[in-house]
Amino acid sequence: MKDNGLLNGLTKEQVEINVKEFGKNRIKEKNKTSIFSILLSQFNDIMIWILIVATIISGIIGDVADSIVIVVIIVINAILGFIQEFRTEKSLESLKKLSSPTTKVIRDGNLKIIDAVELTIDDLILLESGDRIPADAKIIRGDLTVDESLLTGESVGVIKTNRNKENNIFMGTIALKGKAYAKVTNIGMNTEMGKIANMLQDIDEDKSPLKERLEGLGKVLVVICLLICAVVTVIGIARGQSVTDMFLIGVSLAVAAIPEGLPAIVTVALALGVSKMLKRRALIRKLPSVETLGCTSIICSDKTGTLTENKMSVREVYFDGKVYEKREAEVDKNEILKEIFVVCNDFNINKNEKNFKNQIIADPTEKALIEYYFDNVENLVSYHSSFKKLSEIPFDSDRKMASVVVRDPKTDESILLAKGAPEKILLMSKYYLHKGNVVDLTNAKRQEIIKEVEMMSLKGLRCLGAGFKKNNLNDKSNLEKDLIFAGFCSIIDPPRKDSKDAVIKCKQAGINTIMITGDHKNTAFAIAKELQICTGLNEVLTGDDIEKMSDKALSKVIDFIRVFARVTPKHKFRIVKAFKEKGHVVAMTGDGVNDAPAIKEADIGISMGIAGTDVTKEASAMILMDDNFSTIVSAVEEGRKIYLNIRKFIRYLLSCNIGEVLTMFLASIFSLPNPLTPIQILFVNLATDGLPALALGVDNSHDNIMSKPPRPRNESIFSRGLWEKILFRGALIGISTIFTFIIGLYLGFSVRTCRTMTLATLVLSQLIHVFECKSETRTLFEINLLSNKYLLLSVIISVVMIFGIIYIPFFQAIFKTTNINLLQWGIVLLFSGIIAVSSSGFGLIKRKKS
Ligand code: ATP
């Protein structure tokens, strides 16, 4: 481990002893949803209780067996609901674990990343900007500016250093700037945070807007349903039917038809979507984001590591007015460039690895520089440690440079070594080095160097300038000024192989990909062009350009811009705002601590799983586990699918419920006997509502989902003709079911036989309809009926159930059914099938006409 001198941290054995003694670094969780409360919530519906009470009353004064069956059906329904909710809860919980924080710790002399809960007393931790402090600790080396607002309410950063008493840092606070090693003093409930025990980085459980809207709709539907049920009940009673019978029918109908499960099933669909997205390497932290993802119209992506591979290597080196394309003797002779690039370099060594490349733990830019000059650890460490580090200003993307002050072993003098964006180093330089001599940096020379940088950048290379100084090192406020420019190098970072396809896919899906980068305009343009993000330099805007623009001016041009180069995190914030003002739904990536405000402002803030800091992760709605751009596109695609699936089961559930209510309503209007008994109504609900609807929630047939523009964010879930489809199909189900009943009566079958036929027609037409719901654009004749195995299975189960209650004598007695013959089946199939065929045929004709 370089850089920490004798700091080796705890040994494995010490860790074991401490963990035994002090336990884990865990804040006790509160308010966990218990299994019991989930079970209880299944009965959290007034209609269920009315039904239970009505059943008990009717049991006392009438048919006890009937009442028992009704209660059993209610319980089975509750168990199904419970299983569904319990699984959702479990999968959300495991997601919470996945997004739990990690920390950098030094143990046995090696730097490791471990789960923060595994930390123990006396552990040596490394903290850098963007880290959330994982335990209470004392700084023993370095400086750290910490945001302690969580504890003190004071949002100004506090400087903590080992040089004075201000060296205690606390769990949950945030490292804003700097780099420090600290020794853990308290963990878990013994930390300051544990004492107030209010810190729990949960997955955000915000309500999904869709769920809220559905809850609103649910209330309206409840009222309508109740009214119709009341009408059915009153008409029945007026016609002289028994009050208890009619009351039970009315309440059963209400229980069956009120789509109380709609909002719950939306949560299930979103949660299922979350686990699907995880398989595609996107970890969702906020459930409602799944819904918003589908509306994304702009994806603002970082370049380095997201669109590009982040596997860097040095291509060319420039000094003394010449470009060197290979590492040759001349380059090796330039001691100062090597010193700057290797000593002003923030790397660590992992001794457990064998291969040199894997032994270096560093940002890819830094790693590329080391690999350019060294190929084994021993030489590297002996070279690096010969320079004693005196102070350091780490790299940050606002300053775009980094520097260290070290003692030069050759001269025993202090020297400042700086590297950063070439323009930045040039701006800070007063002199330049020419064949070993320090010469004044004239404007002409400056332009000459800038021109070289631009040429290299145009090839898509990333440039890094180098500077140094030996004088005035005590003037801290001007430490990085008046440098001697030593040269620069260019680094290649090839685009990811799948980025281009993902960009093209976005284009077809009406989504614009925007590159936002701290890199040079030309570098950004070259890579963006290769990835087909933009075509001309007129689509590129720089941070300087943005600086000169008002918010209004920026929003005027923003729709034409595809690349933002040399930007700082505060520009990112303005870019998101401008896009949002234009009505876009914006997804934006970020990694550094300064990106957090922009990430929060975006509709979908995306942080990097590998390169991201804790603070950006916590501000984000989604974490990219592989930092890869194409993962964002997969997540958007998944978001669209989930929304479509939600539409599918809403369509299914509502049209079926309309069918059920209409059947009973028409019977009472036409003064027919009740076509179904309360138990039969509840059976229909059990056989058709639960499993098939859930299976639609995971359906995978999606009419070319990525070839259509994104849906507007505030679009109603019933838009694009869904209401019409639901009403039309619900009416067909109701009418054909009541026709089956009427024809049965007309042909002189017993009421029990007619009810059995009605029951079969109602269930079968719903089971056929569930396949229609697989697609909004294609008809039954055009879709692959076998593609969803869950749907097939649930339909088979329902068919077995209906055959079971029609033919098994035990169930016949319970459900008041009877055997039906071939002719009667013919009628059932005709009416349940004919409506499906005719409605599909109608759809086909309508499409041909339009
Ligand atoms: P992106 O925002 O797409 O991730 P980026 O990684 O190029 O882009 P920054 O990390 O902000 O953006 O880098 C901006 C510039 O700062 C680079 O072009 C480079 O010149 C310089 N730079 C990058 N990394 C370092 C570093 N470790 N030390 C010094 N300078 C650096």
Side-chain angles (χ1 to χ4, degrees):
M1 173 83 221
K2 90 69 257 193
D3 195 49
N4 59 337
L6 295 174
L7 302 180
N8 276 323
L10 296 178
T11 62
K12 199 170 158 234
E13 291 72 33
Q14 285 168 323
V15 170
E16 274 166 19
I17 294 169
N18 286 4
V19 168
K20 238 184 216 156
E21 185 172 349
F22 303 108
K24 298 232 166 183
N25 181 29
R26 190 174 274 140
I27 301 276
K28 285 205 179 70
E29 253 187 80
K30 36 179 191 174
N31 301 337
K32 249 183 126 183
T33 327
S34 71
I35 295 188
F36 188 66
S37 67
I38 298 177
L39 190 62
L40 216 61
S41 71
Q42 304 307 314
F43 295 93
N44 194 7
D45 176 0
I46 183 77
M47 287 319 293
I48 297 275
W49 287 108
I50 295 180
L51 183 59
I52 291 175
V53 171
T55 309
I56 293 171
I57 295 172
S58 86
I60 294 167
I61 53 176
D63 194 337
V64 182
D66 265 15
S67 310
I68 294 173
V69 175
I70 291 181
V71 172
V72 169
I73 294 183
I74 293 173
V75 170
I76 294 178
N77 242 333
I79 291 174
L80 282 180
F82 167 75
I83 295 173
Q84 226 175 63
E85 215 169 293
F86 184 68
R87 285 190 44 199
T88 310
E89 195 70 34
K90 278 271 152 247
S91 66
L92 287 180
E93 228 169 70
S94 57
L95 279 176
K96 259 184 224 171
K97 278 196 195 117
L98 268 180
S99 60
S100 66
T102 55
T103 186
K104 285 162 271 183
V105 64
I106 292 130
R107 287 179 180 171
D108 289 314
N110 279 318
L111 181 77
K112 292 180 189 163
I113 295 179
I114 61 167
D115 278 343
V117 285
E118 303 299 335
L119 267 190
T120 189
I121 301 283
D122 286 343
D123 251 331
L124 180 63
I125 49 177
L126 170 59
L127 299 161
E128 288 168 293
S129 77
D131 289 344
R132 194 175 271 284
I133 316 289
D136 287 0
K138 208 177 247 339
I139 293 188
I140 55 170
R141 181 172 294 180
D143 304 340
L144 211 58
T145 307
V146 185
D147 173 356
E148 295 192 330
S149 53
L150 204 68
L151 285 174
T152 61
E154 180 59 68
S155 61
V156 181
V158 195
I159 299 173
K160 305 280 178 141
T161 165
N162 64 322
R163 288 193 292 274
N164 59 29
K165 278 191 176 161
E166 274 292 314
N167 58 359
N168 286 319
I169 48 174
F170 303 101
M171 180 192 230
T173 57
I174 297 164
L176 293 175
K177 248 199 314 210
K179 178 179 168 184
Y181 292 91
K183 203 167 178 181
V184 173
T185 50
N186 271 316
I187 57 169
M189 293 308 281
N190 290 328
T191 58
E192 289 304 310
M193 191 52 77
K195 283 178 201 151
I196 43 178
N198 64 355
M199 231 271 302
L200 222 180
Q201 292 310 314
D202 271 352
I203 288 189
D204 205 318
E205 275 155 14
D206 289 352
K207 265 197 173 177
S208 127
L210 180 59
K211 195 173 160 188
E212 262 174 30
R213 267 184 276 152
L214 280 180
E215 273 170 4
L217 172 85
K219 284 187 190 128
V220 178
L221 290 179
V222 167
V223 174
I224 297 175
C225 263
L226 285 179
L227 277 179
I228 298 178
C229 295
V231 170
V232 171
T233 313
V234 170
I235 293 181
I237 294 170
R239 279 193 359 242
Q241 305 213 20
S242 125
V243 177
T244 32
D245 276 3
M246 280 323 295
F247 189 64
L248 262 188
I249 284 193
V251 182
S252 305
L253 191 57
V255 167
I258 290 174
E260 74 288 338
L262 265 191
I265 215 165
V266 168
T267 311
V268 175
L270 294 179
L272 284 172
V274 166
S275 40
K276 265 186 134 178
M277 287 188 190
L278 190 60
K279 283 193 193 122
R280 297 177 86 160
R281 318 289 296 141
L283 171 61
I284 301 293
R285 295 184 68 253
K286 298 177 183 175
L287 210 50
S289 309
V290 178
E291 207 185 306
T292 322
L293 262 172
C295 316
T296 307
S297 59
I298 293 275
I299 303 178
C300 296
S301 172
D302 281 346
K303 172 180 73 67
T304 311
T306 313
L307 287 161
T308 65
E309 292 216 13
N310 222 2
K311 287 192 187 124
M312 306 200 190
S313 53
V314 175
R315 261 296 161 86
E316 298 158 327
V317 177
Y318 169 95
F319 58 91
D320 290 343
K322 211 176 144 196
V323 177
Y324 296 87
E325 289 187 8
K326 281 200 295 265
R327 214 185 117 202
E328 44 196 272
E330 213 73 30
V331 178
D332 282 345
K333 267 190 251 156
N334 192 329
E335 271 295 330
I336 189 69
L337 261 193
K338 179 175 173 183
E339 237 173 89
I340 295 168
F341 285 142
V342 178
V343 179
C344 176
N345 192 315
D346 191 18
F347 69 93
N348 287 296
I349 302 280
N350 183 351
K351 287 185 278 187
N352 294 334
E353 291 287 344
K354 291 209 167 61
N355 179 303
F356 178 65
K357 279 195 174 208
N358 299 337
Q359 283 170 327
I360 312 291
I361 305 171
D363 173 273
T365 309
E366 317 265 48
K367 199 168 166 177
L369 295 170
I370 291 178
E371 284 169 5
Y372 184 70
Y373 285 104
F374 286 93
D375 55 12
N376 84 69
V377 167
E378 285 70 35
N379 292 351
L380 169 67
V381 171
S382 94
Y383 177 77
H384 191 274
S385 55
S386 65
F387 293 83
K388 184 167 183 281
K389 192 191 281 181
L390 302 173
S391 68
E392 138 178 56
I393 310 179
F395 173 76
D396 86 55
S397 40
D398 274 322
R399 290 187 319 121
K400 297 198 177 5
M401 66 181 289
S403 54
V404 284
V405 179
V406 292
R407 181 140 335 253
D408 191 332
K410 296 187 296 290
T411 58
D412 204 29
E413 281 174 12
S414 296
I415 180 169
L416 176 130
L417 308 169
K419 71 178 193 320
E423 314 95 277
K424 184 70 197 254
I425 299 291
L426 276 173
L427 192 72
M428 295 302 195
S429 296
K430 205 169 170 186
Y431 317 96
Y432 75 101
L433 200 64
H434 186 71
K435 303 213 174 0
N437 301 317
V438 178
V439 187
D440 275 346
L441 184 60
T442 58
N443 257 344
K445 187 70 193 171
R446 223 179 263 275
Q447 290 313 318
E448 184 191 318
I449 299 171
I450 287 179
K451 218 166 171 190
E452 287 291 347
V453 171
E454 302 223 315
M455 301 254 287
M456 280 193 203
S457 308
L458 264 181
K459 292 188 256 176
L461 299 169
R462 171 183 175 83
C463 296
L464 214 60
F468 68 101
K469 81 173 188 186
K470 294 181 180 172
N471 303 326
N472 298 333
L473 296 180
N474 290 329
D475 182 1
K476 295 284 177 232
S477 52
N478 290 313
L479 194 61
E480 288 176 320
K481 285 193 181 140
D482 298 341
L483 304 181
I484 304 161
F485 187 82
F488 70 91
C489 71
S490 69
I491 297 175
I492 182 156
D493 177 21
R496 285 179 187 266
K497 286 198 179 60
D498 46 4
S499 291
K500 188 166 156 185
D501 290 342
V503 171
I504 295 172
K505 199 170 188 182
C506 279
K507 251 186 220 166
Q508 286 161 351
I511 302 166
N512 281 330
T513 309
I514 309 292
M515 176 192 279
I516 302 189
T517 176
D519 226 332
H520 193 281
K521 179 177 179 174
N522 290 356
T523 315
F525 171 66
I527 304 269
K529 197 166 170 213
E530 191 175 337
L531 292 174
Q532 296 195 9
I533 291 175
C534 73
T535 48
L537 262 169
N538 56 338
E539 291 165 307
V540 185
L541 214 60
T542 65
D544 283 345
D545 299 334
I546 298 178
E547 208 61 44
K548 288 181 210 135
M549 290 173 154
S550 65
D551 284 349
K552 223 176 176 180
L554 179 63
S555 114
K556 240 188 194 159
V557 297
I558 200 141
D559 269 334
F560 306 101
I561 304 300
R562 294 287 175 270
V563 178
F564 294 90
R566 279 288 189 248
V567 292
T568 62
K570 77 171 190 292
H571 296 134
K572 278 186 156 184
F573 185 78
R574 286 186 61 197
I575 295 168
V576 178
K577 272 189 79 166
F579 273 125
K580 279 178 75 176
E581 258 161 40
K582 285 278 175 158
H584 286 292
V585 175
V586 187
M588 155 142 338
T589 65
D591 45 18
V593 57
N594 302 342
D595 287 339
I599 296 258
K600 262 197 194 130
E601 177 67 19
D603 297 289
I604 301 280
I606 304 169
S607 61
M608 302 298 157
I610 304 169
T613 55
D614 295 346
V615 180
T616 31
K617 281 184 192 161
E618 284 164 21
S620 68
M622 177 168 117
I623 302 178
L624 289 187
M625 308 286 269
D626 54 2
D627 294 9
N628 187 342
F629 174 74
S630 62
T631 303
I632 308 176
V633 184
S634 306
V636 170
E637 186 175 355
E638 209 54 59
R640 287 189 177 192
K641 281 186 188 169
I642 290 160
Y643 188 77
L644 261 195
N645 283 350
I646 291 176
R647 275 173 69 100
K648 286 180 195 176
F649 64 65
I650 287 183
R651 173 182 172 190
Y652 170 70
L653 280 179
L654 291 190
S655 46
C656 289
N657 288 0
I658 289 176
E660 288 162 20
V661 174
L662 199 63
T663 305
M664 300 303 288
F665 184 67
L666 290 176
S668 66
I669 290 188
F670 295 137
S671 295
L672 299 169
N674 289 321
L676 294 169
T677 66
I679 295 181
Q680 288 169 348
I681 294 172
L682 291 173
F683 171 80
V684 174
N685 189 36
L686 186 70
T688 59
D689 265 19
L691 293 180
L694 206 60
L696 274 181
V698 291
D699 196 50
N700 47 14
S701 58
H702 300 100
D703 319 322
N704 303 326
I705 200 161
M706 289 301 265
S707 61
K708 293 175 193 143
R711 67 169 207 278
R713 188 210 307 255
N714 292 325
E715 182 192 273
S716 150
I717 185 96
F718 297 106
S719 70
R720 286 176 278 135
L722 201 67
W723 254 131
E724 290 89 319
K725 281 196 179 97
I726 291 170
L727 289 177
F728 176 68
R729 200 60 176 82
L732 275 185
I733 292 176
I735 291 168
S736 54
T737 308
I738 202 66
F739 257 92
T740 312
F741 188 64
I742 293 172
I743 287 182
L745 291 177
Y746 179 76
L747 293 176
F749 304 144
S750 70
V751 171
R752 190 168 177 139
T753 307
C754 292
R755 282 188 177 146
T756 310
M757 287 164 63
T758 308
L759 182 69
T761 309
L762 191 53
V763 171
L764 286 187
S765 35
Q766 297 190 11
L767 294 182
I768 295 173
H769 180 48
V770 78
F771 288 103
E772 283 179 299
C773 293
K774 273 167 72 74
S775 170
E776 287 183 30
T777 50
R778 286 167 297 149
T779 61
L780 261 189
F781 312 123
E782 298 156 295
I783 50 180
N784 180 358
L785 300 178
L786 309 177
S787 68
N788 181 343
K789 56 179 189 296
Y790 299 107
L791 191 62
L792 280 183
L793 190 70
S794 65
V795 167
I796 290 171
I797 292 174
S798 300
V799 170
V800 170
M801 279 166 78
I802 182 89
F803 272 94
I805 67 159
I806 291 180
Y807 290 107
I808 298 173
F810 174 73
F811 289 118
Q812 280 182 339
I814 292 177
F815 289 96
K816 311 272 184 327
T817 53
T818 179
N819 292 355
I820 50 178
N821 62 28
L822 272 183
L823 169 68
Q824 288 152 352
W825 266 118
I827 297 170
V828 167
L829 288 178
L830 184 72
F831 276 97
S832 50
I834 205 165
I835 44 165
V837 173
S838 55
S839 88
S840 274
F842 183 74
L844 214 59
I845 294 166
K846 205 171 136 201
R847 212 174 57 215
K848 285 221 167 100
K849 267 191 185 163
S850 59

